[in-house]
């Protein structure tokens, strides 16, 4: 009788263990620092796992650690909250992590921006589920049209067609924030155009456009 009861208890415990393990990694407990440590992505491959942990330890001690990355450059944390992180990966690249709420679970967005004073900043965005499985970006973010970045008054002698001809290869810098779930986008090619064209487009260029999060991003009009 005792042996039979013990066997039943062991079987019950074995059945419970997977649930406990899943609970230990519950999506609701996911934080930006967890993602920074776990995420395998080309943008962060120059930061070894041990280096990432060192950066976090120094941040927790109220110190910004200038970590030496695999290329011999310097990386450091710029901002960190439970659902947002911003890291200077190199002098010309920044990586952002943002955890977004949703009715069907949390979504992770990452933004990798490359650019400096001689190269127009340009961003690439990825999305992941709470288990850090990659998702199709088109499911969460519509690709902005070039005209979304401009406000051309009716009757203006400059047309959107002319602006498109001036900007054949637009570059866009995206940015997130710890303060809200909005995604901001800024057209960056302007300052790297020839002066005459830039002086024209700057008259109509919006400082930025904003996407509002409602289980997916929608352009705010």
């Amino acid at each position: 009788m005792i042996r039979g009861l013990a066997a039943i208890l062991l079987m019950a415990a074995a059945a419970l263990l997977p649930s406990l393990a899943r609970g230990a990694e519950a999506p609701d407990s996911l934080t930006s620092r967890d993602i920074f440590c776990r995420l395998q992505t080309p943008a962060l491959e120059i930061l070894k796992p041990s280096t990432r942990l060192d950066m976090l330890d120094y941040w927790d001690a109220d110190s910004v650690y200038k970590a030496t990355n695999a290329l011999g450059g310097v990386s450091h944390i710029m901002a960190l909250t439970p659902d947002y992180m911003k890291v200077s990966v190199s002098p010309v690249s920044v990586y952002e992590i943002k955890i977004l709420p949703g009715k069907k679970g949390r979504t992770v967005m990452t933004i990798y921006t490359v650019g400096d004073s001689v190269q127009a900043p340009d961003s690439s965005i990825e999305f992941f589920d709470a288990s850090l499985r990659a998702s199709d970006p088109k499911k969460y973010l519509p690709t902005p049209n070039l005209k979304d970045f401009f406000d051309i008054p009716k009757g203006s002698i400059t047309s959107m067609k002319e602006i498109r001809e001036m900007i054949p290869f637009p570059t866009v810098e995206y940015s997130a924030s710890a303060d809200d779930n909005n995604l901001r986008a800024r057209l960056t090619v302007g300052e790297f155009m020839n002066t005459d064209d830039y002086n024209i487009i700057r008259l109509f260029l919006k400082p930025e456009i904003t996407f509002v999060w409602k289980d997916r991003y929608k352009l705010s009009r």
Side-chain angles (χ1 to χ4, degrees), residues 118-134:
V118 296
Q119 177 186 355
D122 199 19
S123 301
S124 58
I125 299 181
E126 292 184 291
F127 290 89
F128 304 85
D129 64 16
S131 298
L132 299 188
R133 289 186 294 259

Side-chain angles (χ1 to χ4, degrees), residues 6-22:
I8 292 173
L9 291 174
L10 285 172
M11 291 175 64
L16 184 60
L17 282 174
S19 298
L20 292 174
R22 286 193 297 270

Side-chain angles (χ1 to χ4, degrees), residues 10 33 44 49 70 75 77 88 95-96 101 104 121 126 130 136 147 149 170 175-176 196 198 200 207 213 221:
L10 285 172
R33 63 190 297 141
L44 294 178
S75 306
I77 298 173
S88 172
Y95 196 78
E96 293 177 84
K104 297 183 179 180
E126 292 184 291
D136 184 357
K147 67 180 181 181
F149 293 94
S175 60
D196 290 339
Y198 181 50
I200 293 174
W213 177 256
R221 299 294 182 177

Side-chain angles (χ1 to χ4, degrees), residues 7-220:
I8 292 173
L9 291 174
L10 285 172
M11 291 175 64
L16 184 60
L17 282 174
S19 298
L20 292 174
R22 286 193 297 270
E25 298 179 2
D28 289 344
S29 67
L30 191 67
T31 66
S32 59
R33 63 190 297 141
D34 296 330
I35 298 166
F36 178 60
C37 291
R38 293 167 48 196
L39 198 59
Q40 301 298 316
T41 176
L44 294 178
E45 64 183 5
I46 65 172
L47 291 174
K48 297 186 296 184
S50 59
T51 302
R52 300 183 201 185
L53 289 173
D54 287 341
M55 293 168 70
L56 289 168
D57 286 343
Y58 275 87
W59 182 271
D60 291 341
D62 294 325
S63 176
V64 177
Y65 177 45
K66 304 288 186 177
T68 302
N69 57 50
L71 297 180
V74 174
S75 306
H76 68 276
I77 298 173
M78 303 173 70
L80 178 60
T81 68
D83 66 359
Y84 176 75
M85 187 172 189
K86 186 174 184 179
V87 180
S88 172
V89 181
S90 75
V92 298
S93 61
V94 172
Y95 196 78
E96 293 177 84
I97 297 170
K98 180 68 180 180
I99 302 176
L100 300 161
K103 294 179 181 177
K104 297 183 179 180
R106 307 177 84 190
T107 298
V108 176
M109 176 179 67
T110 64
I111 307 170
Y112 183 50
T113 302
V114 177
D116 58 12
S117 60
V118 296
Q119 177 186 355
D122 199 19
S123 301
S124 58
I125 299 181
E126 292 184 291
F127 290 89
F128 304 85
D129 64 16
S131 298
L132 299 188
R133 289 186 294 259
S135 300
D136 184 357
K138 294 179 181 178
K139 177 181 176 182
Y140 297 102
L141 179 65
T143 301
N145 192 298
L146 186 62
K147 67 180 181 181
D148 293 329
F149 293 94
F150 291 89
D151 185 6
I152 302 177
K154 188 175 181 180
S156 174
I157 61 173
T158 301
S159 68
M160 194 63 226
K161 181 177 181 296
E162 291 174 306
I163 290 180
R164 290 185 189 280
E165 292 172 350
M166 295 178 194
I167 310 176
F169 305 106
T171 52
V172 178
E173 179 182 21
Y174 289 90
S175 60
S177 169
D179 299 326
D180 55 44
N181 295 322
N182 293 344
L183 179 65
R184 296 162 183 84
R186 182 176 72 91
L187 190 69
T188 58
V189 69
E191 299 166 23
F192 299 86
M193 298 169 57
N194 72 67
T195 304
D196 290 339
D197 286 348
Y198 181 50
N199 284 338
I200 293 174
I201 73 162
R202 67 190 299 183
L203 298 174
F204 312 102
L205 182 63
K206 298 176 183 178
E208 65 180 22
I209 59 176
T210 302
F211 292 87
V212 178
W213 177 256
K214 294 180 180 178
D215 278 337
R216 70 186 305 272
Y217 276 113
K218 294 182 180 180
L219 181 61
S220 176

